[in-house]
Amino acid sequence: MKTTHDLLGLMKFMGRDNWQGDLQDVMDAHFGAVLDETDLDFEELGDILGDHWQMTLWGCAFEDALSQEFEGGRNPIDDYLKRRGWKESAQTRTYMTALRSSLMSLYEVSEIVPGQSFLARDLLRGGDPVLVHEGTATKTLHLWEKIAARIVEIGGRRILAGGVLPFSSEATDFLMDGVREITGKSKRSRAKLHLEDDALRMAAPFFTIAWLMDALPKLLRQTLPEMRNRDGEAFLFHEVRFPLAEGAAPGDVAARLATVTALEPASERFWNWLETKPAKPIHRAGKPDVLSFDVTMEGGVPVLGNIEMKDGVLVLAVNSAARAARGTELLSEALDWLVRTPLTSIQTVEQLMASRPPGPGPRQSDLPPDVEARLVHEMLDRQYRSILDEPVGMLGNKSPRAAARSKAGRYKVAEWLKYLELQSARHPDPADPMASYDFTWIWRELKVEDLRR
């Protein structure tokens, strides 16, 4: 039995001689430029992206063909319903009619009710968010995620059509710039972009192009941006393990560490290693493919590393070779005979990511979940509070406080905060403290709560 949204009959109908050429023209508009640029065949996209995304992209192009009027005002849905509509159920005919006038646009997702609905704000046509009834997609969507989709109305309820593409921030910027160019719009604030339906219909292939131009290089190269800490040192994660000497007890070690002014205890078994020299600005490499950042305590004091007592071993964790050398010397002098010769393991960013399991795994911390969550959230509070007064690339190298003082800057700050929340929500383990962090206070602090919609 056919489902309400079964388009199999229509797909077969589009294979007829009088529609094949038109369908091929649409496919060329969606894929031709990208395939030429990457020297790939359409079939090879499945090998790179996976069959699911290949078929989703094909579906986006197919739905575009269904909504177009070709030479002489011909439309495939009109033709199909006239010739074969009697074969379809009333629900399917209604769905096809809705597709006939549908438009692909870019939406921002909010107020998700898993298995039921979400709000979608049109980023290209403007207006208030609309309620979309959706079961499957809402189980994987995240707050503030951006999706390219066709929203159609059936029986007074808005639903998603078949082709839905998740858009990263890079793909969104690529799309926005491309849409402005092909529609003759000036590079104005994204909040002011308001396309007419005809212009949006003309831009339909660019959604596929933008998604592919973002996804393919990442999958083909699989490279990460260069990462550096506050001092400009390349990220190279060091774990220095100090086995306790015979006769030494964890309490003895803790007592010695209490005398080191650079160490601040977060619990009986965990210490933050702080920079005792005056804090200096984060080293900026000045390159778009280099990320520079670090963690600070409240008040802006940099955190150089963490020290934790685990199963009779004192573990120093830092993010550079220079800090590993400094930390090893610091602890060796402070602990003297209490520890044996340390053992060091080193991981690059790529190795660290590859060593992580693909999905949520068991918690590794010895701390109770509520204590761990409190410590992580306090650390994030300090980190984000310091960032509010530091230059941020997404804000044109202005600090969030400075950017929030202008009308245009407020929109940029809202986009930045939505990006942070989305990255947090995408954590593979929803129970992890990083995923449960509440950004509400930052919206209030910067007085942009009215844009959190």
Side-chain angles (χ1 to χ4, degrees), residues 253-404:
V253 172
R256 287 285 188 93
L257 295 182
T259 66
V260 181
T261 57
L263 302 183
E264 180 176 297
S267 70
E268 293 181 354
R269 304 169 63 88
F270 191 94
W271 296 262
N272 288 308
W273 174 28
L274 307 181
E275 178 62 84
T276 55
K277 301 176 183 178
K280 57 183 178 180
I282 292 181
H283 173 83
R284 304 288 178 182
K287 300 179 182 178
D289 57 346
V290 176
L291 300 180
S292 300
F293 59 91
D294 229 330
V295 177
T296 62
M297 301 288 284
E298 187 171 4
V301 178
V303 178
L304 301 179
N306 302 125
I307 300 166
E308 186 174 7
M309 180 67 71
K310 294 181 180 180
D311 300 323
V313 177
L314 192 68
V315 180
L316 166 68
V318 293
N319 62 21
S320 75
R323 291 185 181 181
R326 288 177 58 191
T328 299
E329 182 180 3
L330 175 73
L331 293 178
S332 296
E333 290 181 356
L335 299 176
D336 195 17
W337 68 270
L338 293 175
V339 293
R340 300 200 299 269
T341 302
L343 303 174
T344 303
S345 61
I346 304 173
Q347 280 188 313
T348 64
V349 176
E350 291 85 355
Q351 289 171 332
L352 183 65
M353 293 179 66
S355 68
R356 293 177 177 175
R363 293 175 64 255
Q364 299 298 317
S365 174
D366 295 329
L367 298 172
D370 58 332
V371 175
E372 182 185 14
R374 177 175 58 80
L375 291 174
V376 171
H377 291 171
E378 287 177 355
M379 179 271 291
L380 291 173
D381 284 345
R382 294 191 295 268
Q383 180 179 356
Y384 285 124
R385 191 166 293 282
S386 67
I387 290 175
L388 296 186
D389 295 301
E390 294 183 354
V392 173
M394 285 183 65
L395 304 178
N397 287 325
K398 293 183 179 179
S399 73
R401 290 192 197 278

Side-chain angles (χ1 to χ4, degrees), residues 52-278:
H52 167 74
W53 289 117
Q54 182 192 38
M55 292 308 301
T56 298
L57 291 164
W58 185 91
C60 291
F62 180 69
E63 289 174 349
D64 182 22
L66 299 182
S67 69
Q68 288 195 29
E69 289 188 358
F70 298 96
E71 186 177 355
R74 299 179 308 121
N75 173 267
I77 288 180
D78 290 347
D79 192 17
Y80 179 76
L81 291 179
K82 180 180 178 180
R83 298 173 183 271
R84 305 284 178 85
W86 58 272
K87 288 187 173 183
E88 303 291 351
S89 67
Q91 294 93 333
T92 299
R93 293 196 300 271
T94 300
Y95 179 65
M96 289 181 181
T97 301
L99 275 179
R100 166 72 170 85
S101 59
S102 67
L103 291 167
M104 191 75 155
S105 193
L106 188 69
Y107 297 93
E108 183 179 72
V109 174
S110 63
E111 296 192 24
I112 303 166
V113 181
Q116 296 184 35
S117 64
F118 65 93
L119 288 183
R121 182 166 69 91
D122 195 322
L123 299 177
L124 298 179
R125 287 182 289 180
D128 294 329
V130 298
L131 181 66
V132 179
H133 294 273
E134 170 60 39
T136 304
T138 51
K139 297 176 182 179
T140 56
L141 288 174
H142 297 100
L143 180 66
W144 308 128
E145 186 168 3
K146 295 176 179 63
I147 59 172
R150 292 173 185 266
I151 296 177
V152 297
E153 188 168 331
I154 307 292
R157 291 163 60 94
R158 295 182 182 88
I159 64 172
L160 292 176
V164 179
L165 297 172
F167 262 58
S168 68
S169 58
E170 295 85 2
T172 298
D173 290 339
F174 191 97
L175 175 71
M176 292 292 189
D177 290 342
V179 167
R180 288 189 181 98
E181 182 176 343
I182 64 178
T183 57
K185 298 285 184 178
S186 61
K187 289 191 175 182
R188 297 176 297 173
S189 166
R190 188 176 304 171
K192 296 180 180 179
L193 189 59
H194 193 296
L195 298 184
E196 300 297 331
D197 288 356
D198 288 344
L200 192 56
R201 193 179 305 279
M202 178 178 65
F206 208 75
F207 290 89
T208 307
I209 294 171
W211 193 91
L212 281 169
M213 292 304 288
D214 174 57
L216 283 176
K218 293 177 180 177
L219 291 170
L220 290 171
R221 291 198 306 266
Q222 292 291 329
T223 58
L224 292 171
E226 182 181 347
M227 302 174 71
R228 294 183 176 274
N229 63 22
R230 172 180 291 270
D231 301 318
E233 300 158 351
F235 263 44
L236 197 58
F237 295 99
H238 287 63
E239 187 176 84
V240 186
R241 302 174 65 86
F242 293 81
L244 267 61
E246 185 176 354
D252 300 328
V253 172
R256 287 285 188 93
L257 295 182
T259 66
V260 181
T261 57
L263 302 183
E264 180 176 297
S267 70
E268 293 181 354
R269 304 169 63 88
F270 191 94
W271 296 262
N272 288 308
W273 174 28
L274 307 181
E275 178 62 84
T276 55
K277 301 176 183 178

